[in-house]
Structure formats: C-alpha cells, structure tokens
C-alpha cells in the first residue's frame, strides 16, 4: 500500500511539474483598455479565436468575428456580448477557402468600419475532411486566404497605425518544407494532409517575416504566434468517433484550454514594446528562434510572390477589394462555403466612431538580439 501511495504521489507530482512548465500558458498582460479601437478575429466562433475575441471585448475593443458559419458566428457574437458586457461585438461572414468571399468581406468591412487596429488570423484547418477541391485546401485556408485579406485591409491598417497583424501558426512549421513547384496541388490522403498542414504553418511564419519587411516604417507590425498544444475543436474535429471518448480525457489532462491557447496571440496583439520584434515567431508569450527554413528571407520573398499569384494579385500588383483581377483559380465559393458567404452581413449596425488613443505614446523600445543567418 505504501508503495502504491508513493507511486501515486510521484505521478501526481510529475503531472503538476509538466502542467505548470509545459501546459499552463502564461497570462497575457499588455494594454488594459482598447476602447475606441477595432479588431478583426477570424474563426472566432469557437476555441482559441473565441477566447481571443472575448479578451479583446473585455478590454473595450469593437470586435468583428469573421466566421464561415453565419449561425455559429451570430451565436458566438451573442455569447461574447453577454459575457464581456461589450455590445460592440459583431459577426461578418468570411470563408477563407473562397477568394471571392475574402474580397466580399474586405469590401463590406471597409465600407462599414472606419478603423482597423488589430487583425488576428486565427482561423485554420488541419484536414480537408470530405471535401475535394481542385487546389490545396489547407494552404488556401491557412495561408492564401489570410494573405489576400491582409493585402486588402492594409490601407486601413496603415491609416490607423500603430496597428498590428497576428498570424496564428504552430510548432508544426518545424516539419514543413515548401515545394514551390506544387504549392497549390490538391491534397489526397492523411499523410499528404499532415505534410500540407506543416507546410501551411511554415508559410504562416515566412509570411509574417516578409510582411514585416514590406511594412517597415509604416507603423504596422506583425507577428507569428504559436498557441501551444490546445484542447480545441481543431484537435478533435477529425478524430474517428470510436477514438474520441478515449482521447478527450487525455486531452483534458495534457492540453491547454482554449483560453490558455489565446494568451500568446493576445500577447502579440497587445504587449507594449515588441515593435522591434516585428516579423518574429512567438511561443509562450516570448520570442522563440525558428529553424533555418523558417528564417530564409529568399524563401519568404519567393512565397510572397507565389502567394500574390495564387491570391489573384498579379506580379507587382496589390489589388484593392473593388478591383477584379483574374487569378488562376477564380476563387469561386468552395464546397465548404455557406450559400450566403458571398454577401457578408453585419450582425448589428455600426455605432458612432470613437477617437482612438495613440499606441505609440504607451510603447517603449527594447533591444533585439541579432538573429543567426540561415
């Protein structure tokens, strides 16, 4: 009996050490009041995105939930208004698998919202599910859609500078390898899905790096954020039904809650003084070094040019939301789209615009260590 108790105590102690050192996320600090500022969070109807939007709303921001499902997006907006006490939480339709939907969202947003201070690319998929698209669906949703959306909203971000873009990535980027000869080829089978997911997360890190270079001196900064191992819908969505009851208790023990997963994206969006670290990769609320493939500036620029082509932005062209270039894939609604995704709607009318405080007055500069060459 004593040996059994000793073993149980050791197991409990080991779990506590693992939980507090690897699982539990450090809380986000940063700017306390966001009153008068506007944030867009994609995929904010559940999980990390919903918890991110909740914290922004609690700090007084006007928050736009950019989600594919109107029903779930409207329900999430209602929940967040109730829980935060902030009535300026609204839903707008966005399907990142459809370039036409991305453009329609940008047009609707720019025509109804005078400000954009924080853009958080949280939405993502880890599997193609049962859909069969003539393009790489994982790259489209996780990278190309956010890339296009950023381009279309950049003028508003620059007008409201200092402003920030946060791209939610993953430690899976370390397994990624971009083959530029087959970037947009359809993904078939679970092995290709695992590879394509890692590649799309590497694309997120390289995108943030190149975006920082492109935006230097504009007052718009950007960051790639790893939320950590999170017990979210993304983790269990594609698990076989018979395996789910076995994994759920394990996930509850060893994975972060969505609230914990939201801390690093929130840190990148709100923390004062990290402007010199624009373009870097963050995990557990601090900057983290990445492998050579994720800090290859030539690959980042090559991905930028390839992404412009796949997003329908010609070489050297940054098309506005009301321009209509013809991409290789015209961006018609995918089979994942809701039938109304081409006409984004706002869940409530826009209030009188607020005067926004100047973020630059509350920030301070910090020293940056020189990054090793790849």
């Amino acid at each position: 009996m004593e040996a059994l108790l000793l073993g149980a105590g050791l197991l409990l102690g080991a779990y506590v050490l693992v939980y507090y050192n690897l699982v539990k996320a450090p809380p986000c600090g940063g700017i306390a009041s966001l009153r008068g500022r506007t944030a867009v969070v994609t995929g904010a109807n559940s999980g990390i995105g919903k918890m991110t939007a909740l914290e922004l709303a609690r700090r007084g921001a006007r928050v736009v939930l950019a989600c594919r499902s109107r029903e779930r997006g409207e329900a999430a907006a209602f929940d967040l208004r109730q829980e935060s006490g902030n009535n300026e939480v609204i839903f707008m339709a966005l399907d990142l698998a459809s370039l036409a939907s991305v453009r329609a969202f940008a047009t609707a947003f720019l025509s109804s919202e005078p400000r954009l201070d924080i853009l958080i690319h949280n939405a993502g998929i880890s599997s193609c599910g049962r859909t069969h698209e003539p393009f790489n669906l994982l790259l489209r949703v996780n990278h190309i859609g956010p890339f296009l959306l950023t381009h279309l909203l950049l003028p508003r971000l620059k007008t409201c500078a200092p402003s920030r873009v946060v791209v939610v990535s993953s430690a899976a980027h370390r397994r990624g390898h971009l083959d530029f000869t087959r970037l947009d080829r359809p993904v078939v089978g679970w092995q290709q899905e695992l590879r394509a997911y890692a590649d799309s997360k590497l694309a997120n890190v390289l995108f943030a790096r190149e975006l920082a270079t492109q935006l230097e001196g504009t007052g718009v900064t950007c960051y790639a954020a790893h939320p950590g191992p999170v017990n979210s819908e993304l983790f269990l969505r594609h698990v076989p039904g018979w395996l789910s009851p076995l994994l759920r208790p394990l996930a509850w023990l060893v994975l972060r809650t969505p609230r914990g997963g939201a801390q690093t994206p929130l840190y990148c969006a709100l923390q004062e003084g990290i402007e010199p670290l624009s373009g870097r990769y963050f995990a557990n609320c601090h900057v983290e070094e990445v492998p050579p493939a994720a800090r290859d500036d030539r690959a980042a620029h090559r991905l930028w040019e390839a992404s412009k082509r796949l997003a329908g932005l010609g070489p050297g062209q940054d098309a506005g939301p009301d321009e209509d270039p013809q991409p290789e894939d015209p961006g018609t609604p995918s089979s994942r789209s809701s039938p109304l995704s081409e006409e984004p709607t706002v869940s409530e009318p826009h209030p009188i615009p607020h005067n926004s405080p100047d973020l630059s007055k509350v920030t301070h500069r910090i020293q940056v260590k020189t990054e090793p060459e790849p």
Side-chain angles (χ1 to χ4, degrees):
M1 178 61 73
E2 290 181 358
L4 185 62
L5 290 175
L6 178 61
L10 289 174
L11 283 174
L12 180 61
Y15 172 72
V16 169
L17 286 174
V18 169
Y19 178 80
Y20 281 98
N21 286 279
L22 299 177
V23 177
K24 184 176 173 62
C28 166
I31 303 167
S33 175
L34 298 174
R35 196 164 302 279
R37 302 183 193 181
T38 298
V40 170
V41 184
T42 66
N45 57 275
S46 64
I48 298 169
K50 189 174 183 181
M51 293 299 99
T52 301
L54 175 61
E55 184 60 30
L56 295 172
R58 281 176 169 166
R59 299 188 187 209
R62 177 173 174 81
V63 184
V64 177
L65 312 184
C67 312
R68 183 168 61 93
S69 167
R70 175 175 281 102
E71 180 181 1
R72 298 181 68 190
E74 293 278 12
F78 177 81
D79 290 344
L80 295 179
R81 287 194 293 266
Q82 295 291 108
E83 192 167 348
S84 67
N86 181 350
N87 288 325
E88 294 191 81
V89 179
I90 66 171
F91 158 78
M92 293 182 69
L94 170 66
D95 180 5
L96 289 167
S98 165
L99 300 183
S101 176
V102 174
R103 290 182 175 277
F105 173 89
T107 299
F109 178 88
L110 294 173
S111 65
S112 63
E113 300 291 332
R115 294 197 62 85
L116 179 56
D117 302 271
I118 300 169
L119 173 60
I120 300 181
H121 293 296
N122 165 79
I125 58 173
S126 57
S127 167
C128 297
R130 297 179 180 178
T131 61
H132 300 283
E133 304 288 358
F135 50 80
N136 184 336
L137 183 62
L138 283 155
L139 187 75
R140 172 70 67 86
V141 173
N142 294 351
H143 170 63
I144 299 298
F147 176 90
L148 176 60
L149 182 61
T150 303
H151 270 265
L152 299 179
L153 299 181
L154 264 182
R156 188 60 47 86
L157 284 162
K158 291 178 179 178
T159 300
C160 298
S163 53
R164 295 187 182 182
V165 178
V166 180
V167 184
V168 177
S169 184
S170 165
H173 80 273
R174 298 179 183 279
R175 303 192 304 271
H177 173 75
L178 294 178
D179 182 351
F180 288 97
T181 65
R182 49 187 302 131
L183 269 184
D184 203 37
R185 291 192 183 179
V187 176
V188 180
W190 66 269
Q191 289 179 311
Q192 286 191 21
E193 285 183 346
L194 287 175
R195 190 179 304 115
Y197 176 75
D199 292 349
S200 71
K201 296 293 103 178
L202 174 59
N204 291 156
V205 178
L206 290 173
F207 170 47
R209 188 177 185 89
E210 180 66 15
L211 184 62
T213 300
Q214 298 279 342
L215 295 178
E216 188 173 356
T218 66
V220 183
T221 53
C222 51
Y223 312 89
H226 172 40
V230 178
N231 183 12
S232 67
E233 286 188 7
L234 190 65
F235 171 71
L236 293 170
R237 184 178 297 162
H238 306 295
V239 171
W242 63 270
L243 191 57
S244 183
L246 300 176
L247 286 181
R248 284 187 182 277
L250 182 64
W252 184 82
L253 286 173
V254 301
L255 299 180
R256 290 177 180 173
T257 64
R259 188 185 302 276
Q263 297 309 303
T264 298
L266 284 167
Y267 179 91
C268 292
L270 303 176
Q271 183 62 39
E272 300 97 332
I274 64 170
E275 292 81 5
L277 298 173
S278 182
R280 301 289 293 277
Y281 173 83
F282 284 74
N284 292 315
C285 295
H286 67 265
V287 71
E288 189 173 284
E289 295 300 332
V290 294
R295 47 184 160 86
D296 184 336
D297 288 329
R298 285 189 296 181
H301 185 72
R302 189 178 180 186
L303 175 65
W304 182 275
E305 295 301 322
S307 300
K308 288 172 70 174
R309 176 175 55 82
L310 293 174
L313 302 169
Q317 172 191 7
D318 292 337
D322 48 2
E323 295 176 343
D324 190 24
Q326 297 298 319
E328 290 185 358
D329 181 302
T332 52
S334 71
S335 57
R336 300 172 65 255
S337 307
S338 69
L340 299 177
S341 64
E342 298 311 303
E343 297 180 1
T345 57
V346 182
S347 59
E348 66 180 37
H350 183 270
I352 299 172
H354 301 284
N355 292 324
S356 173
D358 187 353
L359 180 63
S360 63
K361 293 180 180 178
V362 296
T363 59
H364 60 276
R365 309 294 285 182
I366 60 178
Q367 298 297 318
V368 187
K369 293 183 180 179
T370 304
E371 210 176 343
E373 292 297 322

